[in-house]
Amino acid sequence: MNWKSIKKNKYYQFFSNKYVLISLFFIVWILFLDANAWFTSHYEIDKQIAEKEQNAAFFRKGIKRDSARISQLSTQKGLEKFARERYLMKKQNEEVFIIEHPDSVKQKENE
């Protein structure tokens, strides 16, 4: 092949057109090289969406757990149990003994 036959080739003529070259450069720039490149920005957005979905799942689990706790506290028996365990409340004419095991007692740091 000589140079004249290469210049007559339709692909060479198409890709040597200055408008085609500028368009190709622009497309490559937009897709890959720009700060807001199409592939880069979509990758970051997909990563953020996955993170938000994980947060949503975590909070849904927390809502489910809290709803179960609220349903327990809505009954008189559940509320009484919570008050006894958490706030050491007792009924009238009743004695409460608190038993602490040595491994469950918090030690002072200065001792």
Side-chain angles (χ1 to χ4, degrees):
M1 285 182 117
N2 59 13
W3 185 249
K4 288 184 180 183
S5 66
I6 292 175
K7 283 189 172 183
K8 289 182 182 180
N9 187 344
K10 64 180 178 178
Y11 294 115
Y12 177 79
Q13 288 177 351
F14 178 75
F15 286 110
S16 65
N17 186 341
K18 65 180 174 182
Y19 297 110
V20 172
L21 288 174
I22 291 171
S23 298
L24 286 175
F25 176 75
F26 179 73
I27 290 170
V28 168
W29 182 269
I30 292 299
L31 290 179
F32 299 106
L33 303 174
D34 192 30
N36 297 319
W38 192 75
F39 289 118
T40 306
S41 63
H42 280 284
Y43 171 74
E44 290 174 3
I45 290 171
D46 290 341
K47 195 166 96 173
Q48 289 175 355
I49 288 172
E51 181 181 324
K52 300 298 181 195
E53 287 173 349
Q54 285 178 345
N55 287 343
F58 172 77
F59 288 122
R60 279 192 207 105
K61 192 181 343 178
I63 289 170
K64 194 174 188 179
R65 184 183 63 238
D66 292 343
S67 297
R69 185 70 174 166
I70 288 171
S71 67
Q72 285 178 348
L73 293 176
S74 64
T75 64
Q76 185 65 28
K77 191 173 186 177
L79 190 61
E80 184 178 319
K81 180 181 176 187
F82 178 76
R84 286 172 176 268
E85 291 174 356
R86 183 78 179 247
Y87 297 109
L88 304 174
M89 296 181 137
K90 62 179 184 133
K91 291 182 181 178
Q92 205 170 18
N93 298 327
E94 183 179 59
E95 291 185 28
V96 176
F97 297 97
I98 301 172
I99 301 171
E100 294 181 350
H101 297 283
D103 58 341
S104 66
V105 177
K106 294 182 182 177
Q107 299 291 327
K108 293 183 182 178
E109 292 182 24
N110 295 336
E111 291 183 2

